Amino acid sequence: MLHRLTTCLILLGLIVSLAAAEQRPNVIVVMTDDQGYGDLSCHGNPVVGAPPMDRLHDQSVRFTDFHVAPMCTPTRGQLMTGLDAFRNGAMNVSSGRTLLRRHLPTMADAFAATGYATGMFGKWHLGDNYPFRPADRGFQESLWFPSSHISSTPDFWNNDYFDDTYTHNGQRRKYDGYCTDVFFAEAMKWIAAQSKAGKPFFAYIPLNAPHGPLFVPDRYRAEVRKRLDAAQDKLPEMDEGFRRSLVSFLAMIENADENIGRLEAMLDERGLRDNTLLIFLTDNGSTMGPRYYNAGMKGGKVTLWEGGHRVPLFVRWPHGGFGAPRDVAELTHVQDLLPTLIDVCDLKRPTEAKYDGVSLDHLLRGKASGLDDRMLVVNYSRMPFGVKRRQADHPGTPHKEGSAVLWKRWRLLENDKLFDLTGDPMQERNVIDDHPEVAAKMRARLDAWWNGVKDTVNEPSRVVVGADAENPTMLSACEWFDVFVDQQRQVRIADEKFGVWYLDVAEPDQYTIELRRYPREADLAINAAVEATQVTDGRYPAGKAIPAVQARLRIGKKNEAMKLAANAKEATFRVSLEKGPIEMQTVFLDDDGNELCGAYYAYVRRE
């Protein structure tokens, strides 16, 4: 009898477990890049034409006071970890501060541990090398390009949004078509395969559109121009240069919207729509909005004003019991999404995981919020544009005062300005002297937050070299700590900068280190001036010749120099390295010993 009872209980547990698995939704997260809250027609924009986005808005639970970071990488890191950017390490778009601390479990890890297939398609921007790549952070399928944008320093040379070379599951591969079309097409192909196999899936589709350069198939521009002409009396005056850029920017949104429509049609055709949780958000405020339409807010990308970090969040799951589509006005944040999905999808919570975000499951289900007294802090590492070498203190160095504190209708900016959004949505009147008790309470929250992150905020994360998972490793200057070289344009002009790579040697061994100004696929001499390059929808500028005659390598305690042969494309050093952390710096010099620039690329191989 006891044996039968035990067997029944086991079977009952199995049935309950299978039922729970069947109820778990598929999950798709779509995130556009540099599209602000006001760059949607459902938010009153008089120019944007985006029917699929508008339909998704109308069918969703919409969070109208939802915030991210004012910059790409910190938003992405907070989304993936549920932790503040200064805690997870990913706080800037390059300069060695994009790397998501390696010990942290990600959203993809949580889905994979619960039996989901996991795939990402597009802009990762949380590390280009082991152990920071999508495949290292829980994604079983990945199609992506490195760093901040297509044509960034580590990207395949002269990629231009059309027929580009991306990384697919660790291998570079050329794809035909426009980037956004490719990412959606590959995502949908993968989703169809998971559906056919009967496996729940988590698909992350972070686009690079409408991030610059503003390249787009020209056929999307005509309709935008017509709508822009029709709405001219509702918009501020704009010069012709800005108008051209705006047309391309909005055309990129129109293309993304068209792809969302294709995704929706595929979900319908395959019977996936009702049990798919679809999330749409953007990664920061608009790059264009403040100059044409900003939904009544001040500021855009890389600002602490409301328009820099308040963005749309739409959440739809027809079978999820979320109730009628509606607006939710609670103060919420991108780092809330991971704990929310853990609750909503019944995911396995990583052992000892702690989150700065909170679950919004109760808000999605129309229950009382309990968030009324919540305060949030927004901060990020600024761009060290003018820095040639790392300095003790510069714009990229995080500071407590570089924050916005958010509480109900109040905004405390840079620890010395207070705004009340109720009567001043454009944040034009500093009322800090009128409300000292409010400022004191918000400053106390800022102090507590800063004390929790300040001890580790300047500790660099280290790329691992010599590991079996990635050997050889191509390092690029976008990981020079607190020195900004993240554009192929900078390589073309030989930007006079000198940075340090913070590395971790996986195994003690002999290593070959190949220093280059240009990446291997460019096949150019170190001293060569690259010609101006006509690409599909634009033109890359001509470059600059340099008179380099010597290359130097400093790695750990080793300092080595090498004369360059005429028309040399690389300088190759062979060194013995011990296991553990190490710093590496490079430089090209002229005949008088003047330093010209660092080697923007280094190929490191354990022999």
Side-chain angles (χ1 to χ4, degrees), residues 348-384:
K348 291 182 180 178
R349 188 183 180 103
T351 305
E352 299 182 357
K354 296 181 180 179
Y355 300 118
D356 293 318
V358 299
S359 175
L360 307 178
D361 180 54
H362 55 299
L363 289 176
L364 287 167
R365 301 187 188 282
K367 299 177 182 178
S369 73
L371 299 180
D372 290 344
D373 207 41
R374 186 184 200 190
M375 285 193 199
L376 295 172
V377 178
V378 172
N379 204 331
Y380 61 104
S381 165
R382 276 56 168 180
M383 309 282 274

Side-chain angles (χ1 to χ4, degrees), residues 469-579:
E470 187 185 37
N471 186 39
T473 295
M474 185 195 85
L475 303 173
S476 83
C478 78
E479 303 303 352
W480 285 351
F481 201 71
D482 285 347
V483 175
F484 180 83
V485 180
D486 191 35
Q487 300 170 357
Q488 290 183 10
R489 179 193 62 81
Q490 293 177 274
V491 177
R492 286 171 167 261
I493 66 172
D495 203 353
E496 189 180 339
K497 292 187 176 180
F498 312 89
V500 175
W501 282 291
Y502 286 80
L503 308 174
D504 191 5
V505 179
E507 300 290 343
D509 211 330
Q510 292 293 318
Y511 284 77
T512 298
I513 302 176
E514 177 185 308
L515 307 185
R516 288 179 174 259
R517 173 184 171 187
Y518 299 100
R520 285 175 176 172
E521 68 269 13
D523 197 34
L524 292 167
I526 292 168
N527 289 336
V530 63
E531 296 180 355
T533 307
Q534 185 68 41
V535 293
T536 307
D537 192 40
R539 186 177 177 86
Y540 290 150
K544 172 185 173 184
I546 60 172
V549 298
Q550 187 182 77
R552 286 185 182 171
L553 169 70
R554 179 182 65 79
I555 184 163
K557 296 179 180 179
K558 303 177 188 294
N559 281 282
E560 301 194 15
M562 177 180 297
K563 288 186 177 181
L564 297 175
N567 299 317
K569 297 174 182 177
E570 80 286 325
T572 301
F573 296 83
R574 192 167 182 268
V575 297
S576 177
L577 298 178
E578 298 299 318
K579 179 181 174 68

Side-chain angles (χ1 to χ4, degrees), residues 383-402:
M383 309 282 274
F385 285 128
V387 176
K388 290 188 177 183
R389 293 176 171 83
R390 190 187 182 198
Q391 303 164 195
D393 193 21
H394 63 82
T397 306
H399 292 283
K400 178 179 74 173
E401 290 73 21

Side-chain angles (χ1 to χ4, degrees), residues 7-30:
T7 302
C8 288
L9 288 173
I10 291 171
L11 288 172
L12 180 61
L14 181 59
I15 290 168
V16 170
S17 177
L18 288 172
E22 288 176 1
Q23 291 169 3
R24 288 192 181 103
N26 303 306
V27 177
I28 301 174
V29 176
V30 176

Side-chain angles (χ1 to χ4, degrees), residues 118-429:
T118 57
M120 74 83 55
F121 309 86
K123 174 175 171 175
W124 173 237
H125 207 187
L126 294 171
D128 307 329
N129 299 105
Y130 176 77
F132 305 102
R133 304 163 300 176
D136 307 318
R137 308 312 294 263
F139 286 102
Q140 300 147 359
E141 177 81 8
S142 56
L143 175 65
W144 59 290
F145 61 89
S147 199
S148 61
H149 62 289
I150 290 175
S151 75
S152 67
T153 300
D155 195 21
F156 194 84
W157 189 250
N158 284 342
N159 266 356
D160 70 344
Y161 287 50
F162 296 84
D163 303 331
D164 287 340
T165 297
Y166 308 123
T167 299
H168 177 239
N169 295 339
Q171 300 297 319
R172 278 179 162 179
R173 175 184 161 190
K174 185 179 175 64
Y175 287 80
D176 294 333
Y178 182 62
C179 53
T180 305
D181 298 338
V182 169
F183 298 140
F184 269 99
E186 293 300 312
M188 288 188 285
K189 185 189 304 181
W190 178 82
I191 287 169
Q194 308 317 308
S195 173
K196 186 176 181 181
K199 190 163 188 178
F201 57 82
F202 165 52
Y204 177 42
I205 311 175
L207 305 179
N208 55 299
H211 191 291
L214 302 177
F215 297 157
V216 64
D218 191 55
R219 66 182 180 275
Y220 292 97
R221 293 187 173 104
E223 288 300 318
V224 173
R225 290 190 188 100
K226 290 179 184 177
R227 288 195 299 272
L228 186 56
D229 289 341
Q232 199 61 58
D233 61 338
K234 303 175 185 176
L235 300 171
E237 289 186 11
M238 57 186 75
D239 61 51
E240 189 54 37
F242 176 74
R243 179 187 170 88
R244 283 195 301 271
S245 295
L246 179 60
V247 166
S248 295
F249 176 81
L250 297 178
M252 295 171 82
I253 292 174
E254 188 146 314
N255 168 263
D257 182 67
E258 184 179 277
N259 276 286
I260 289 173
R262 292 190 186 110
L263 174 65
E264 291 274 50
M266 186 270 288
L267 294 176
D268 277 335
E269 289 166 7
R270 294 188 170 273
L272 296 172
R273 180 184 181 278
D274 286 347
N275 199 38
T276 294
L277 197 164
L278 178 58
I279 296 173
F280 172 81
L281 71 158
T282 72
D283 68 341
N284 46 244
S286 178
T287 50
M288 295 287 179
R291 294 184 61 183
Y292 84 107
Y293 178 81
N294 215 29
M297 294 185 291
K298 183 176 184 177
K301 181 178 179 177
V302 298
T303 73
L304 291 175
W305 303 111
E306 195 76 354
H309 46 82
R310 182 158 73 91
V311 302
L313 173 65
F314 308 153
V315 183
R316 187 192 71 197
W317 179 19
H319 278 183
F322 292 168
R326 64 194 182 278
D327 291 340
V328 174
E330 298 285 351
L331 182 63
T332 51
H333 196 274
V334 65
Q335 60 201 24
D336 297 334
L337 289 178
L338 176 52
T340 299
L341 289 171
I342 287 175
D343 282 356
V344 170
C345 302
D346 192 27
L347 304 180
K348 291 182 180 178
R349 188 183 180 103
T351 305
E352 299 182 357
K354 296 181 180 179
Y355 300 118
D356 293 318
V358 299
S359 175
L360 307 178
D361 180 54
H362 55 299
L363 289 176
L364 287 167
R365 301 187 188 282
K367 299 177 182 178
S369 73
L371 299 180
D372 290 344
D373 207 41
R374 186 184 200 190
M375 285 193 199
L376 295 172
V377 178
V378 172
N379 204 331
Y380 61 104
S381 165
R382 276 56 168 180
M383 309 282 274
F385 285 128
V387 176
K388 290 188 177 183
R389 293 176 171 83
R390 190 187 182 198
Q391 303 164 195
D393 193 21
H394 63 82
T397 306
H399 292 283
K400 178 179 74 173
E401 290 73 21
S403 303
V405 184
L406 287 53
W407 180 40
K408 299 179 180 178
R409 67 183 194 267
W410 302 102
R411 301 293 184 262
L412 178 70
L413 271 56
E414 298 177 327
N415 209 17
D416 63 1
K417 294 180 284 292
L418 182 68
F419 301 93
D420 180 353
L421 296 182
T422 302
D424 181 24
M426 287 297 290
Q427 297 173 274
E428 295 176 334
R429 297 188 297 276

